Amino acid sequence: MNQTSESGFENLIGYYEPQVQELIVIDEVLSAMVGIEGRYISIKTLRGKKDEIINFLVDPSMDSALQELAKRIFPLCRSFLLINQFVESRSQFQNGLVNHAFSAALRAFLLDYQLMVSQLEHQFRLGRLSLQGLWFYCQPTLRSMQALSTVIQKASVNNFSGSAVLNLLQSQAKAMAGDIQVRLLLEKMTQCASRAYMSILERWVYEGVIDDPYGEFFIAEDKSLPKESLTKDYDAKYWRQRYSLKDGIPSFLANIAGTILTTGKYLNVMRECGHNVQVPPSENSKLTSFGSNHHYLECIKAAYNFASGELVNLIKEKYDLTGKLRSIKHYLLLDQGDFLVHFMDIARDELAKKPDEVSVEKLQSLLDLALRTTAAAVDPYHEGLTCIVAISQRESSTNDILEEPVSITGLETFSLSYKVHWPLSIVLSRKALTKYQLIFRFLFHCKHVDRQLCGAWQTHQGVRALNTRGTAISRSSLLCRIRAFKEYRIGYGFLASFVIEPNWHMMYTRLQSANSIDEVIQHHDFFLDKCLRECLLLLPELLKKVERLKSMCLQYAAATQWLISSSIVFHSPDEPKAESIGAKQSKSGQVRKSTTRNVAVTESILKFEKEFDTELQSLGSILSSSSQAEPYLAHLAKWVLGVKHEQNGL
């Protein structure tokens, strides 16, 4: 009795003969193989830190040889219990579609296993099964069961779902490469578990829809980024972050994950446009599973080619991307400058006001008038052009000839914008339009400087008939020819001939051969970045020099107007006109010569000329030294140095 109570078994099996013990052990082992405790074999489950530990205890009085054989079969019994527990706990849909499919495959496998146990039990009832024979028949299944139990233990401990389960199965299959039977079983389990995952993948690459109720797919959708954000977001996050790759991509899709992502994105764009996005079905296009023949990869590539081709054609043909880009080039890159000249003429008074006093509505109406009355009227997209005036309270003072503070006006804060709608906003996003506006502001200001210098030149031309030799006006006239010519060369000759046109032609050629919208975006962004860089807008040191030269030209133009208007007095129209030749020659006497004042003004002009030459020489030196790192600067250096040589020649 003491031995019975200590061991926990009701009747010690050791009281029986070995032949009888074997029959009892076979019966109880068969029960243990399907998770049923016996009289002499008990099952104890202990809760560990991460998982459960299952132990099998036998009557210590059992024959040692029988104990040894029984213990060899216990791992099979333990694997059955672990697998069965996993199936019961992971069969619910909240654990994910992959776990649900994996559990279904395991349940089917356990049915085959239980059928084997039933057949062994039948042989036992017929008296044809020994414990040694039972061990023999269990060995092939033991390896498979242990491999599956290893997988489900790792999946349970780490709470795997979705692609993590598929990766675990595939890695375990590769690890069992030496055991063909086990490897084939694990590959079959991977196939079964991946069917639900491949269904999600199929809807994405064929329709552009994420049908992922349990968050298992490796592509995430950020619904907080609507397509309308492209016209407002300066970082253009929509195209990069609306759909993105998550961690845990299935290993069999890792090399083609980027293609899968872009395929669905393209289809989604077309669906948002109301365009038919269904990939043409075929007999072999179903993505039910993956295999060693890599047929699924061919299906994905075919879907990508269809989606990319359809979207590019849609963007180019239905929405006329090229026409829109050409229109933007006309206005924001000043390809057709006649409308801008007319606009600057009729909006001169409004742009001369302070920014907070400028009427944007009036500027817009003047802009529309300039567009309708110039060559821009034939452009079908000119209505998308709008004007912007940034409100700024800043005032700056410069040491010009007159030494007066210069206030910020609407002219300094004026810019143009362009209305872009979906889906062209993918290419012409707020970020891209901002780059266009930066280039426009630079060109627009160059145009303003050029107009001011031309105005100064015309003022000088108006007094050519007067005798100004030896006066400040004569010196200013010579300086005007040099500066106006130089500013025009830098502001327009170089930018138009060596920056904008060549880069535009290169981009246009590349767009014609682009096979996807991402290639279109890449070529377009490259064009804008290259123009920004070659217009010196990304080189602060050089830009500062150019802005200083433009500022000096504006100061000189204003000083010239003041000099001539304050130095020449014409007869009143009411005074009688002299008819003699001598009277005509006396016009030179209309110039008031004040020796002190003339010397002061001449010194100011000479000072300006010296400062201008210094800045020009400094710019040429920086360009020459930087041309090794930035080869395109060599062209601008030649222009600047060439102008300086012509200046010296004059």
Side-chain angles (χ1 to χ4, degrees):
M1 292 294 295
N2 293 336
Q3 188 176 8
T4 303
S5 61
E6 288 176 1
S7 63
F9 298 99
E10 296 179 358
N11 296 313
L12 297 177
I13 195 174
Y15 290 135
Y16 300 103
E17 294 294 329
Q19 293 82 358
V20 178
Q21 289 188 37
E22 181 177 7
L23 294 176
I24 297 173
V25 170
I26 293 174
D27 184 58
E28 297 216 347
V29 168
L30 286 171
S31 297
M33 288 174 65
V34 291
I36 301 174
E37 281 189 303
R39 177 176 296 181
Y40 303 106
I41 298 177
S42 61
I43 304 173
K44 301 297 181 182
T45 302
L46 302 176
R47 178 71 62 177
K49 293 183 178 180
K50 295 183 179 181
D51 56 356
E52 293 182 346
I53 301 174
I54 300 175
N55 291 323
F56 289 84
L57 303 178
V58 299
D59 185 342
S61 67
M62 184 184 298
D63 182 79
S64 60
L66 296 177
Q67 284 192 44
E68 195 64 34
L69 282 173
K71 289 179 180 179
R72 293 182 183 180
I73 303 176
F74 286 161
L76 178 62
C77 305
R78 185 180 296 109
S79 297
F80 170 81
L81 289 172
L82 290 172
I83 296 172
N84 191 58
Q85 289 176 4
F86 181 87
V87 170
E88 294 299 326
S89 63
R90 299 302 178 98
S91 293
Q92 303 299 321
F93 277 110
Q94 59 263 29
N95 293 307
L97 298 177
V98 173
N99 272 328
H100 185 269
F102 183 36
S103 297
L106 288 173
R107 184 179 286 110
F109 177 78
L110 289 182
L111 287 176
D112 292 338
Y113 168 79
Q114 289 170 331
L115 177 61
M116 180 199 74
V117 175
S118 298
Q119 292 173 345
L120 291 173
E121 187 176 4
H122 179 68
Q123 293 296 317
F124 171 65
R125 299 304 176 199
L126 295 176
R128 300 175 182 173
L129 184 68
S130 64
L131 188 58
Q132 184 68 45
L134 178 60
W135 164 239
F136 174 78
Y137 289 119
C138 288
Q139 288 185 59
T141 308
L142 175 61
R143 297 194 303 273
S144 300
M145 293 287 282
Q146 285 184 314
L148 288 176
S149 64
T150 301
V151 171
I152 61 107
Q153 279 182 297
K154 292 181 179 178
S156 298
V157 169
N158 297 285
N159 197 26
F160 281 163
S161 64
S163 58
V165 175
L166 299 179
N167 287 335
L168 178 60
L169 282 168
Q170 199 167 28
S171 63
Q172 195 68 21
K174 291 179 179 178
M176 302 300 294
D179 192 328
I180 298 178
Q181 182 180 352
V182 174
R183 178 173 58 82
L184 291 176
L185 173 64
L186 292 175
E187 288 178 352
K188 180 182 178 181
M189 289 293 167
T190 310
Q191 293 278 354
C192 294
S194 67
R195 287 197 180 101
Y197 200 89
M198 297 299 281
S199 297
I200 301 174
L201 174 63
E202 183 175 317
R203 286 211 69 187
W204 174 250
V205 298
Y206 286 167
E207 300 178 38
V209 175
I210 295 181
D211 185 9
D212 183 23
Y214 304 106
E216 299 173 277
F217 199 41
F218 65 89
I219 294 177
E221 179 182 8
D222 187 355
K223 295 184 178 180
S224 66
L225 292 173
K227 61 180 183 291
E228 291 78 13
S229 66
L230 281 168
T231 60
K232 303 174 183 178
D233 182 15
Y234 286 89
D235 197 27
K237 294 178 182 177
Y238 175 87
W239 190 245
R240 294 180 289 104
Q241 299 181 14
R242 170 71 182 205
Y243 296 101
S244 58
L245 296 176
K246 297 193 296 187
D247 295 333
I249 300 172
S251 56
F252 60 91
L253 296 175
N255 293 332
I256 203 170
T259 302
I260 294 172
L261 174 65
T262 54
T263 301
K265 285 170 63 176
Y266 295 166
L267 294 172
N268 185 267
V269 170
M270 289 188 283
R271 195 179 69 254
E272 293 278 357
C273 298
H275 189 69
N276 180 24
V277 297
Q278 184 66 46
V279 176
S282 63
E283 296 181 0
N284 299 321
S285 63
K286 297 293 291 182
L287 294 176
T288 55
S289 62
F290 71 95
S292 58
N293 58 359
H294 302 301
H295 172 68
Y296 68 99
L297 297 178
E298 297 175 3
C299 293
I300 292 171
K301 291 177 181 178
Y304 169 79
N305 292 333
F306 169 81
S308 61
E310 283 290 306
L311 181 56
V312 168
N313 290 336
L314 186 70
I315 292 289
K316 289 182 178 180
E317 296 177 7
K318 182 177 179 179
Y319 294 95
D320 193 14
L321 173 64
T322 304
K324 290 282 187 179
L325 290 174
R326 190 180 293 110
S327 180
I328 291 176
K329 178 174 179 260
H330 291 336
Y331 308 127
L332 297 185
L333 300 183
L334 305 186
D335 184 47
Q336 286 185 349
D338 57 334
F339 91 93
L340 186 65
V341 172
H342 185 35
F343 171 74
M344 294 178 75
D345 287 336
I346 61 179
R348 179 185 305 164
D349 295 339
E350 194 67 24
L351 290 174
K353 297 178 181 179
K354 293 182 178 180
D356 55 351
E357 298 176 359
V358 175
S359 172
V360 179
E361 293 78 10
K362 184 176 181 179
L363 281 181
Q364 185 64 49
S365 64
L366 294 174
L367 177 64
D368 294 338
L369 177 62
L371 291 172
R372 291 194 301 269
T373 56
T374 59
V378 300
D379 179 11
Y381 304 118
H382 73 268
E383 294 181 355
L385 196 64
T386 60
C387 57
I388 300 173
V389 177
I391 304 299
S392 175
Q393 302 297 332
R394 295 183 301 115
E395 291 190 352
S396 60
S397 60
T398 55
N399 295 324
D400 55 10
I401 297 177
L402 303 178
E403 297 184 355
E404 294 180 356
V406 178
S407 300
I408 298 296
T409 66
L411 193 71
E412 281 74 34
T413 59
F414 173 79
S415 183
L416 292 178
S417 187
Y418 201 87
K419 295 179 181 178
V420 181
H421 303 288
W422 177 268
L424 293 183
S425 55
I426 296 174
V427 180
L428 296 168
S429 62
R430 177 73 267 170
K431 183 178 181 180
L433 287 176
T434 301
K435 294 178 181 180
Y436 274 112
Q437 289 174 327
L438 290 172
I439 299 172
F440 169 80
R441 282 292 310 146
F442 184 71
L443 296 177
F444 178 75
H445 201 247
C446 286
K447 184 68 175 178
H448 170 62
V449 173
D450 179 65
R451 284 167 58 85
Q452 295 301 109
L453 288 173
C454 287
W457 171 247
Q458 291 172 357
T459 302
H460 276 295
Q461 290 296 95
V463 297
R464 287 184 64 183
L466 303 179
N467 182 15
T468 60
R469 186 179 300 276
T471 66
I473 296 177
S474 176
R475 183 68 186 180
S476 175
S477 176
L478 176 62
L479 192 61
C480 183
R481 295 201 303 273
I482 299 170
R483 300 301 174 253
F485 177 72
K486 196 215 75 60
E487 178 60 31
Y488 177 79
R489 293 286 294 275
I490 289 183
Y492 288 93
F494 173 76
L495 296 181
S497 302
F498 288 93
V499 176
I500 295 176
E501 274 305 323
N503 289 325
W504 169 268
H505 179 72
M506 183 185 301
M507 178 194 70
Y508 184 83
T509 303
R510 290 175 175 175
L511 290 184
Q512 302 311 305
S513 59
N515 296 318
S516 69
I517 192 68
D518 282 300
E519 288 185 19
V520 172
I521 296 173
Q522 179 183 355
H523 296 326
H524 183 244
D525 288 346
F526 180 79
F527 161 73
L528 289 174
D529 292 339
K530 200 163 187 288
C531 286
L532 283 171
R533 187 170 62 255
E534 295 186 6
C535 285
L536 311 182
L537 295 176
L538 301 181
L539 302 172
E541 184 180 8
L542 290 173
L543 181 60
K544 184 177 180 180
K545 291 292 182 182
V546 173
E547 290 299 318
R548 173 60 180 160
L549 289 172
K550 291 197 297 182
S551 176
M552 295 178 70
C553 288
L554 288 175
Q555 296 166 18
Y556 167 74
T560 297
Q561 298 286 351
W562 170 84
L563 173 63
I564 295 178
S565 62
S566 63
S567 300
I568 299 178
V569 177
F570 294 96
H571 288 293
S572 173
D574 298 332
E575 296 180 10
K577 297 180 180 180
E579 298 294 334
S580 63
I581 297 176
K584 293 180 180 179
Q585 294 176 347
S586 66
K587 289 183 180 180
S588 60
Q590 295 173 355
V591 181
R592 296 180 177 179
K593 298 182 179 179
S594 176
T595 305
T596 304
R597 178 182 171 205
N598 191 60
V599 170
V601 173
T602 301
E603 288 178 353
S604 296
I605 294 174
L606 291 173
K607 179 182 177 182
F608 169 84
E609 184 177 7
K610 182 177 180 181
E611 291 179 356
F612 192 92
D613 289 341
T614 301
E615 291 291 336
L616 188 62
Q617 183 64 39
S618 175
L619 175 62
S621 300
I622 296 176
L623 289 172
S624 298
S625 60
S626 302
S627 60
Q628 293 182 353
E630 305 286 350
Y632 60 89
L633 294 178
H635 296 290
L636 183 56
K638 291 180 180 178
W639 280 98
V640 172
L641 295 176
V643 169
K644 180 151 183 66
H645 291 327
E646 293 180 16
Q647 173 184 336
N648 294 334
L650 290 174

